[in-house]
Amino acid sequence: MLNALTVDVEDYYNQLAIDFCDRIEPPRPQSEVDTHRMLDLFAEFRVRTTCFILGEMAEHFPSLVRRIADEGHQLGVHAYYHHQVWRHTPAQFREITGRAIKTIEDVAGRTVDAHRAVAFSIVKETLWALPILADLGIVYDSSIFPFKGRRYGIATSARGPHRIELPDGRSLWEFPLSTVDAFGRRWPVCGGGYLRHFPLTYSRSGIRRLHAEGLPANLYLHPYEIEVAPRIAPIDGLTSWRQRLKFRFFNFHQLRRRAETLPKLRALLSEFRFGPIDDVLREWTASLAPASGASPPSIPRVRLAQIA
Ligand SMILES: [Zn+2]
């Protein structure tokens, strides 16, 4: 089964400045270096991905975004700056996401048709973002974590790919982040910290469990996760000891076991088939049994109001 490989193209340090000090700083040149290293690996394995790119990365590193497009990766938008959806009003979200899409498309010369919200911030309170994304030409969203996380997630949302039907009759694909149900609870299994912190067998058996259910996996990564032992300078503006402690803890958690990312990724790329979201859903849809004889495949559908 073909699985999705999805990359959030962003800088680590400048998202810290936003999260801890609400300050926009330019992305570091290191983020471009890390992304090229990741693209080199994908070229070696002849695998294409979906890249969710920040508008500011396209603004600062246009040749990087052109390489992503030239090498056939599906183009997605992440945001303009690394702001969670809930930081915006609907009008602001429309304007800034539209600006990010235009910046990426102008640089890449190709259409952006996918979206992933920063920090999976499409939650029950921000479902208003989905019709706006459809207005902006987004066909594939991959922002919902069907899991009760500390900072994100909609625990009751569908676990497999599905079409979300909007009140005006339109619909868009949602390809949620991968989870499995085991030992009486739900576990996120594919990517980011879940790949770094746990043994490889955790991700491997998660993917196999998903396949046994007839579902493709959605593995996600960030280029900075392969940046081993980065020097994270303390950022200016942390005024209280509580903020400084939180900053230290966050970095400890985010920098831990980065050296393991690349070998684990290589192992998964050797063992499973990966591709961009559009290819995965085309192949998966074709494998679904039709509802009856000559009718088209029965794609799971969920009304927007049902999620809320
Ligand atoms: Zn991100």
Side-chain angles (χ1 to χ4, degrees):
M1 183 179 285
L2 189 63
N3 305 284
L5 184 52
T6 59
V7 183
D8 298 353
V9 180
E10 62 192 48
D11 181 34
Y12 180 68
Y13 192 83
N14 88 332
Q15 68 165 281
L16 293 179
I18 284 182
D19 283 349
F20 284 88
C21 299
D22 202 14
R23 189 174 63 232
I24 291 168
E25 292 189 1
R28 296 166 310 155
Q30 183 64 38
S31 58
E32 185 185 22
V33 173
D34 295 337
T35 310
H36 277 300
R37 278 184 69 204
M38 213 170 237
L39 292 170
D40 291 344
L41 179 74
F42 299 151
E44 180 189 329
F45 279 84
R46 295 173 188 273
V47 65
R48 293 184 302 115
T49 70
T50 301
C51 286
F52 297 103
I53 304 165
L54 287 179
E56 64 171 348
M57 290 293 286
E59 178 192 327
H60 287 272
F61 308 118
S63 63
L64 174 71
V65 172
R66 272 192 288 275
R67 178 180 175 192
I68 291 171
D70 290 348
E71 296 187 357
H73 299 279
Q74 184 184 8
L75 297 182
V77 61
H78 195 33
Y80 200 95
Y81 304 109
H82 206 262
H83 288 131
Q84 293 89 343
V85 175
W86 46 259
R87 284 173 173 249
H88 300 303
T89 63
Q92 287 168 338
F93 178 78
R94 181 187 295 275
E95 189 277 319
I96 203 155
T97 309
R99 187 148 57 88
I101 290 170
K102 184 168 186 326
T103 306
I104 299 164
E105 288 182 341
D106 285 351
V107 163
R110 265 188 32 212
T111 305
V112 168
D113 62 358
H115 170 263
R116 170 167 294 148
V118 165
F120 315 119
S121 55
I122 294 194
V123 292
K124 283 193 175 177
E125 295 74 18
T126 49
L127 287 169
W128 48 257
L130 292 168
I132 295 174
L133 290 168
D135 291 345
L136 296 173
I138 297 301
V139 181
Y140 307 92
D141 182 67
S142 180
S143 305
I144 297 181
F145 224 129
F147 158 75
K148 178 86 192 76
R150 191 165 49 88
R151 291 172 295 149
Y152 49 73
I154 303 179
T156 53
S157 194
R159 289 177 46 245
H162 54 280
R163 288 197 74 88
I164 296 181
E165 296 184 332
L166 305 176
D168 61 8
R170 294 177 300 165
S171 65
L172 78 170
W173 274 108
E174 176 62 38
F175 195 162
L177 284 304
S178 293
T179 59
V180 298
D181 291 333
F183 310 111
R185 57 163 289 186
R186 184 163 289 180
W187 308 81
V189 285
C190 283
Y194 309 107
L195 180 67
R196 270 185 296 116
H197 298 311
F198 300 121
L200 179 61
T201 184
Y202 180 81
S203 304
R204 186 184 274 147
S205 64
I207 295 172
R208 289 200 185 125
R209 271 175 178 268
L210 286 159
H211 290 181
E213 293 183 68
L215 299 176
N218 185 354
L219 182 69
Y220 75 94
L221 292 155
H222 306 89
Y224 59 71
E225 289 181 280
I226 60 171
E227 185 187 343
V228 176
R231 288 210 183 95
I232 300 298
I235 54 176
D236 298 332
L238 298 180
T239 47
S240 71
W241 66 268
R242 196 186 292 271
Q243 260 187 321
R244 285 194 289 272
L245 195 66
K246 199 173 153 205
F247 182 76
R248 272 173 177 262
F249 176 75
F250 188 84
N251 278 304
F252 169 74
H253 172 262
Q254 287 289 333
L255 305 185
R256 191 170 165 264
R257 295 194 161 171
R258 281 195 178 180
E260 294 185 18
T261 304
L262 216 44
K264 284 175 175 168
L265 184 56
R266 280 184 169 276
L268 293 177
L269 289 174
S270 304
E271 188 170 345
F272 299 101
R273 292 172 62 229
F274 287 96
I277 284 177
D278 51 0
D279 279 5
V280 173
L281 293 180
R282 204 173 297 120
E283 192 176 301
W284 183 67
T285 303
S287 76
L288 296 173
S292 64
S295 61
S298 52
I299 297 169
R301 291 174 183 275
V302 177
R303 287 200 312 278
L304 186 62
Q306 284 176 298
I307 309 173

PDB file of all heavy atoms in Angstrom, residues 7-11 15 52 54 78-79 81-83 116-120 221-222 224, ligand 1:
ATOM      1  N   VAL A   7       6.071  16.662   4.664  1.00  0.00           N
ATOM      2  CA  VAL A   7       7.155  17.424   5.284  1.00  0.00           C
ATOM      3  C   VAL A   7       6.681  18.857   5.526  1.00  0.00           C
ATOM      4  O   VAL A   7       6.181  19.511   4.605  1.00  0.00           O
ATOM      5  CB  VAL A   7       8.391  17.458   4.352  1.00  0.00           C
ATOM      6  CG1 VAL A   7       9.539  18.181   5.019  1.00  0.00           C
ATOM      7  CG2 VAL A   7       8.806  16.048   3.964  1.00  0.00           C
ATOM      8  N   ASP A   8       6.835  19.334   6.747  1.00  0.00           N
ATOM      9  CA  ASP A   8       6.509  20.736   7.053  1.00  0.00           C
ATOM     10  C   ASP A   8       7.796  21.546   6.900  1.00  0.00           C
ATOM     11  O   ASP A   8       8.727  21.404   7.698  1.00  0.00           O
ATOM     12  CB  ASP A   8       5.961  20.873   8.478  1.00  0.00           C
ATOM     13  CG  ASP A   8       4.664  20.082   8.677  1.00  0.00           C
ATOM     14  OD1 ASP A   8       4.127  19.555   7.688  1.00  0.00           O
ATOM     15  OD2 ASP A   8       4.196  19.991   9.824  1.00  0.00           O
ATOM     16  N   VAL A   9       7.860  22.365   5.839  1.00  0.00           N
ATOM     17  CA  VAL A   9       9.098  23.077   5.504  1.00  0.00           C
ATOM     18  C   VAL A   9       9.126  24.400   6.273  1.00  0.00           C
ATOM     19  O   VAL A   9       8.424  25.354   5.924  1.00  0.00           O
ATOM     20  CB  VAL A   9       9.194  23.293   3.978  1.00  0.00           C
ATOM     21  CG1 VAL A   9      10.474  24.038   3.626  1.00  0.00           C
ATOM     22  CG2 VAL A   9       9.154  21.946   3.255  1.00  0.00           C
ATOM     23  N   GLU A  10       9.954  24.415   7.328  1.00  0.00           N
ATOM     24  CA  GLU A  10       9.964  25.550   8.255  1.00  0.00           C
ATOM     25  C   GLU A  10      11.289  25.584   8.993  1.00  0.00           C
ATOM     26  O   GLU A  10      12.080  24.634   8.900  1.00  0.00           O
ATOM     27  CB  GLU A  10       8.829  25.367   9.277  1.00  0.00           C
ATOM     28  CG  GLU A  10       9.009  24.100  10.116  1.00  0.00           C
ATOM     29  CD  GLU A  10       7.776  23.715  10.931  1.00  0.00           C
ATOM     30  OE1 GLU A  10       6.679  23.703  10.362  1.00  0.00           O
ATOM     31  OE2 GLU A  10       7.933  23.422  12.132  1.00  0.00           O
ATOM     32  N   ASP A  11      11.513  26.668   9.744  1.00  0.00           N
ATOM     33  CA  ASP A  11      12.705  26.783  10.572  1.00  0.00           C
ATOM     34  C   ASP A  11      12.330  26.481  12.024  1.00  0.00           C
ATOM     35  O   ASP A  11      11.193  26.716  12.438  1.00  0.00           O
ATOM     36  CB  ASP A  11      13.280  28.203  10.440  1.00  0.00           C
ATOM     37  CG  ASP A  11      14.540  28.376  11.266  1.00  0.00           C
ATOM     38  OD1 ASP A  11      15.311  27.409  11.407  1.00  0.00           O
ATOM     39  OD2 ASP A  11      14.755  29.486  11.786  1.00  0.00           O
ATOM     40  N   GLN A  15      10.350  29.635  14.840  1.00  0.00           N
ATOM     41  CA  GLN A  15       9.055  29.300  15.474  1.00  0.00           C
ATOM     42  C   GLN A  15       9.148  29.433  16.993  1.00  0.00           C
ATOM     43  O   GLN A  15       8.160  29.739  17.660  1.00  0.00           O
ATOM     44  CB  GLN A  15       8.544  27.930  15.053  1.00  0.00           C
ATOM     45  CG  GLN A  15       9.339  26.761  15.554  1.00  0.00           C
ATOM     46  CD  GLN A  15       8.552  25.462  15.384  1.00  0.00           C
ATOM     47  OE1 GLN A  15       7.668  25.149  16.163  1.00  0.00           O
ATOM     48  NE2 GLN A  15       8.883  24.710  14.373  1.00  0.00           N
ATOM     49  N   PHE A  52       4.596  20.882   2.858  1.00  0.00           N
ATOM     50  CA  PHE A  52       3.781  21.992   3.369  1.00  0.00           C
ATOM     51  C   PHE A  52       4.752  23.119   3.725  1.00  0.00           C
ATOM     52  O   PHE A  52       5.507  23.010   4.703  1.00  0.00           O
ATOM     53  CB  PHE A  52       2.971  21.547   4.582  1.00  0.00           C
ATOM     54  CG  PHE A  52       1.983  20.454   4.268  1.00  0.00           C
ATOM     55  CD1 PHE A  52       2.240  19.139   4.616  1.00  0.00           C
ATOM     56  CD2 PHE A  52       0.804  20.748   3.598  1.00  0.00           C
ATOM     57  CE1 PHE A  52       1.334  18.132   4.317  1.00  0.00           C
ATOM     58  CE2 PHE A  52      -0.113  19.748   3.288  1.00  0.00           C
ATOM     59  CZ  PHE A  52       0.159  18.432   3.652  1.00  0.00           C
ATOM     60  N   LEU A  54       6.053  27.102   4.446  1.00  0.00           N
ATOM     61  CA  LEU A  54       5.677  28.422   4.972  1.00  0.00           C
ATOM     62  C   LEU A  54       5.917  29.469   3.886  1.00  0.00           C
ATOM     63  O   LEU A  54       6.944  29.415   3.187  1.00  0.00           O
ATOM     64  CB  LEU A  54       6.536  28.784   6.181  1.00  0.00           C
ATOM     65  CG  LEU A  54       6.285  28.061   7.499  1.00  0.00           C
ATOM     66  CD1 LEU A  54       7.267  28.573   8.556  1.00  0.00           C
ATOM     67  CD2 LEU A  54       4.858  28.257   8.001  1.00  0.00           C
ATOM     68  N   HIS A  78       1.714  25.756   4.537  1.00  0.00           N
ATOM     69  CA  HIS A  78       1.668  25.484   5.986  1.00  0.00           C
ATOM     70  C   HIS A  78       1.037  26.692   6.688  1.00  0.00           C
ATOM     71  O   HIS A  78       0.183  26.521   7.550  1.00  0.00           O
ATOM     72  CB  HIS A  78       3.106  25.235   6.453  1.00  0.00           C
ATOM     73  CG  HIS A  78       3.236  24.611   7.807  1.00  0.00           C
ATOM     74  ND1 HIS A  78       2.329  23.717   8.320  1.00  0.00           N
ATOM     75  CD2 HIS A  78       4.204  24.739   8.768  1.00  0.00           C
ATOM     76  CE1 HIS A  78       2.725  23.336   9.531  1.00  0.00           C
ATOM     77  NE2 HIS A  78       3.846  23.944   9.829  1.00  0.00           N
ATOM     78  N   ALA A  79       1.465  27.891   6.308  1.00  0.00           N
ATOM     79  CA  ALA A  79       0.979  29.181   6.830  1.00  0.00           C
ATOM     80  C   ALA A  79       1.912  30.202   6.181  1.00  0.00           C
ATOM     81  O   ALA A  79       2.712  29.809   5.319  1.00  0.00           O
ATOM     82  CB  ALA A  79       1.115  29.254   8.346  1.00  0.00           C
ATOM     83  N   TYR A  81       3.693  32.806   8.326  1.00  0.00           N
ATOM     84  CA  TYR A  81       4.605  32.626   9.455  1.00  0.00           C
ATOM     85  C   TYR A  81       4.062  31.461  10.280  1.00  0.00           C
ATOM     86  O   TYR A  81       2.930  31.032  10.065  1.00  0.00           O
ATOM     87  CB  TYR A  81       4.679  33.908  10.299  1.00  0.00           C
ATOM     88  CG  TYR A  81       5.071  35.117   9.501  1.00  0.00           C
ATOM     89  CD1 TYR A  81       4.151  36.131   9.219  1.00  0.00           C
ATOM     90  CD2 TYR A  81       6.361  35.242   9.000  1.00  0.00           C
ATOM     91  CE1 TYR A  81       4.511  37.232   8.473  1.00  0.00           C
ATOM     92  CE2 TYR A  81       6.730  36.349   8.244  1.00  0.00           C
ATOM     93  CZ  TYR A  81       5.800  37.346   7.984  1.00  0.00           C
ATOM     94  OH  TYR A  81       6.154  38.422   7.239  1.00  0.00           O
ATOM     95  N   HIS A  82       4.840  31.004  11.251  1.00  0.00           N
ATOM     96  CA  HIS A  82       4.428  29.801  11.966  1.00  0.00           C
ATOM     97  C   HIS A  82       3.392  30.115  13.057  1.00  0.00           C
ATOM     98  O   HIS A  82       3.618  29.885  14.245  1.00  0.00           O
ATOM     99  CB  HIS A  82       5.663  29.089  12.552  1.00  0.00           C
ATOM    100  CG  HIS A  82       5.472  27.620  12.750  1.00  0.00           C
ATOM    101  ND1 HIS A  82       5.143  27.063  13.957  1.00  0.00           N
ATOM    102  CD2 HIS A  82       5.529  26.585  11.875  1.00  0.00           C
ATOM    103  CE1 HIS A  82       5.028  25.758  13.820  1.00  0.00           C
ATOM    104  NE2 HIS A  82       5.260  25.442  12.572  1.00  0.00           N
ATOM    105  N   HIS A  83       2.234  30.611  12.620  1.00  0.00           N
ATOM    106  CA  HIS A  83       1.143  30.946  13.538  1.00  0.00           C
ATOM    107  C   HIS A  83       0.067  29.859  13.495  1.00  0.00           C
ATOM    108  O   HIS A  83      -0.374  29.462  12.412  1.00  0.00           O
ATOM    109  CB  HIS A  83       0.484  32.270  13.140  1.00  0.00           C
ATOM    110  CG  HIS A  83       1.337  33.471  13.417  1.00  0.00           C
ATOM    111  ND1 HIS A  83       1.553  34.451  12.475  1.00  0.00           N
ATOM    112  CD2 HIS A  83       2.018  33.845  14.519  1.00  0.00           C
ATOM    113  CE1 HIS A  83       2.335  35.394  12.997  1.00  0.00           C
ATOM    114  NE2 HIS A  83       2.634  35.040  14.233  1.00  0.00           N
ATOM    115  N   ARG A 116      -1.529  22.116   5.481  1.00  0.00           N
ATOM    116  CA  ARG A 116      -1.454  21.584   6.856  1.00  0.00           C
ATOM    117  C   ARG A 116      -1.351  22.750   7.816  1.00  0.00           C
ATOM    118  O   ARG A 116      -0.461  23.600   7.690  1.00  0.00           O
ATOM    119  CB  ARG A 116      -0.252  20.661   7.037  1.00  0.00           C
ATOM    120  CG  ARG A 116      -0.057  20.319   8.543  1.00  0.00           C
ATOM    121  CD  ARG A 116       0.891  19.184   8.780  1.00  0.00           C
ATOM    122  NE  ARG A 116       0.344  17.944   8.265  1.00  0.00           N
ATOM    123  CZ  ARG A 116       1.102  16.963   7.772  1.00  0.00           C
ATOM    124  NH1 ARG A 116       2.401  17.102   7.745  1.00  0.00           N
ATOM    125  NH2 ARG A 116       0.533  15.861   7.321  1.00  0.00           N
ATOM    126  N   ALA A 117      -2.249  22.788   8.778  1.00  0.00           N
ATOM    127  CA  ALA A 117      -2.240  23.873   9.756  1.00  0.00           C
ATOM    128  C   ALA A 117      -1.028  23.738  10.675  1.00  0.00           C
ATOM    129  O   ALA A 117      -0.611  22.626  11.005  1.00  0.00           O
ATOM    130  CB  ALA A 117      -3.521  23.819  10.582  1.00  0.00           C
ATOM    131  N   VAL A 118      -0.472  24.867  11.063  1.00  0.00           N
ATOM    132  CA  VAL A 118       0.635  24.891  12.017  1.00  0.00           C
ATOM    133  C   VAL A 118       0.209  24.166  13.294  1.00  0.00           C
ATOM    134  O   VAL A 118      -0.876  24.424  13.834  1.00  0.00           O
ATOM    135  CB  VAL A 118       1.026  26.357  12.324  1.00  0.00           C
ATOM    136  CG1 VAL A 118       1.897  26.457  13.563  1.00  0.00           C
ATOM    137  CG2 VAL A 118       1.723  26.976  11.122  1.00  0.00           C
ATOM    138  N   ALA A 119       1.063  23.258  13.755  1.00  0.00           N
ATOM    139  CA  ALA A 119       0.828  22.517  15.000  1.00  0.00           C
ATOM    140  C   ALA A 119      -0.569  21.870  15.030  1.00  0.00           C
ATOM    141  O   ALA A 119      -1.216  21.823  16.072  1.00  0.00           O
ATOM    142  CB  ALA A 119       1.030  23.423  16.221  1.00  0.00           C
ATOM    143  N   PHE A 120      -1.007  21.375  13.853  1.00  0.00           N
ATOM    144  CA  PHE A 120      -2.290  20.644  13.743  1.00  0.00           C
ATOM    145  C   PHE A 120      -3.426  21.443  14.408  1.00  0.00           C
ATOM    146  O   PHE A 120      -4.285  20.894  15.099  1.00  0.00           O
ATOM    147  CB  PHE A 120      -2.173  19.261  14.395  1.00  0.00           C
ATOM    148  CG  PHE A 120      -0.907  18.546  14.004  1.00  0.00           C
ATOM    149  CD1 PHE A 120       0.040  18.183  14.942  1.00  0.00           C
ATOM    150  CD2 PHE A 120      -0.654  18.262  12.667  1.00  0.00           C
ATOM    151  CE1 PHE A 120       1.224  17.558  14.564  1.00  0.00           C
ATOM    152  CE2 PHE A 120       0.526  17.635  12.277  1.00  0.00           C
ATOM    153  CZ  PHE A 120       1.461  17.280  13.236  1.00  0.00           C
ATOM    154  N   LEU A 221       7.255  14.813   8.954  1.00  0.00           N
ATOM    155  CA  LEU A 221       8.606  15.154   9.418  1.00  0.00           C
ATOM    156  C   LEU A 221       8.861  16.642   9.243  1.00  0.00           C
ATOM    157  O   LEU A 221       8.152  17.319   8.498  1.00  0.00           O
ATOM    158  CB  LEU A 221       9.646  14.443   8.544  1.00  0.00           C
ATOM    159  CG  LEU A 221       9.733  12.935   8.654  1.00  0.00           C
ATOM    160  CD1 LEU A 221      10.305  12.389   7.369  1.00  0.00           C
ATOM    161  CD2 LEU A 221      10.593  12.544   9.841  1.00  0.00           C
ATOM    162  N   HIS A 222       9.902  17.117   9.932  1.00  0.00           N
ATOM    163  CA  HIS A 222      10.382  18.491   9.730  1.00  0.00           C
ATOM    164  C   HIS A 222      11.858  18.418   9.362  1.00  0.00           C
ATOM    165  O   HIS A 222      12.595  17.631   9.977  1.00  0.00           O
ATOM    166  CB  HIS A 222      10.258  19.304  11.019  1.00  0.00           C
ATOM    167  CG  HIS A 222       8.884  19.286  11.605  1.00  0.00           C
ATOM    168  ND1 HIS A 222       8.481  18.314  12.504  1.00  0.00           N
ATOM    169  CD2 HIS A 222       7.836  20.103  11.414  1.00  0.00           C
ATOM    170  CE1 HIS A 222       7.219  18.551  12.834  1.00  0.00           C
ATOM    171  NE2 HIS A 222       6.799  19.627  12.188  1.00  0.00           N
ATOM    172  N   TYR A 224      14.265  20.212  10.238  1.00  0.00           N
ATOM    173  CA  TYR A 224      15.161  20.460  11.372  1.00  0.00           C
ATOM    174  C   TYR A 224      15.351  19.228  12.268  1.00  0.00           C
ATOM    175  O   TYR A 224      16.266  19.189  13.081  1.00  0.00           O
ATOM    176  CB  TYR A 224      14.695  21.658  12.205  1.00  0.00           C
ATOM    177  CG  TYR A 224      13.304  21.561  12.792  1.00  0.00           C
ATOM    178  CD1 TYR A 224      13.025  20.697  13.839  1.00  0.00           C
ATOM    179  CD2 TYR A 224      12.285  22.365  12.313  1.00  0.00           C
ATOM    180  CE1 TYR A 224      11.754  20.618  14.387  1.00  0.00           C
ATOM    181  CE2 TYR A 224      11.010  22.297  12.848  1.00  0.00           C
ATOM    182  CZ  TYR A 224      10.747  21.419  13.886  1.00  0.00           C
ATOM    183  OH  TYR A 224       9.494  21.347  14.409  1.00  0.00           O
TER     184      TYR A 224
HETATM  185 ZN    ZN B   1       5.067  23.586  11.554  1.00  0.00          ZN
END
